[in-house]
Amino acid sequence: MELKEKIDACRNLETLRSQVIYWTQQLDKAENVEQKEYCFKNLEKFVSEMASQVAKYKYNHLQK
């Protein structure tokens, strides 16, 4: 993996991490079921994307 790819992967994971933190905080602040469901849906999306990116990074790293 090239240095630029590693930097891009780290930035992408940091962005996803920030989104996970944001939606976790929003979930904590939600006042009703609809808001909680909306926040949870977004949180789930970003956690899933983060897991996918980590798996992709590990796979690419092992290929080298």
Side-chain angles (χ1 to χ4, degrees):
M1 193 175 236
E2 299 287 324
L3 180 59
K4 183 185 179 322
E5 290 174 311
K6 287 181 181 180
I7 292 169
D8 289 344
C10 286
R11 285 184 181 149
N12 188 26
L13 286 175
E14 183 60 33
T15 300
L16 291 169
R17 180 181 164 278
S18 295
Q19 288 296 313
V20 168
I21 290 167
Y22 173 80
W23 286 109
T24 300
Q25 290 170 341
Q26 294 305 306
L27 183 60
D28 289 343
K29 293 177 188 175
E31 297 180 0
N32 59 49
V33 173
E34 291 82 19
Q35 289 174 342
K36 288 183 187 291
E37 287 175 347
Y38 178 76
C39 293
F40 185 79
K41 180 181 170 188
N42 283 296
L43 178 59
E44 187 176 42
K45 178 177 76 172
F46 286 107
V47 167
S48 176
E49 180 62 24
M50 190 175 210
S52 174
Q53 292 297 318
V54 168
K56 186 171 127 182
Y57 174 77
K58 283 187 171 186
Y59 176 79
N60 288 339
H61 182 71
L62 291 173
Q63 296 300 312
K64 306 261 177 198

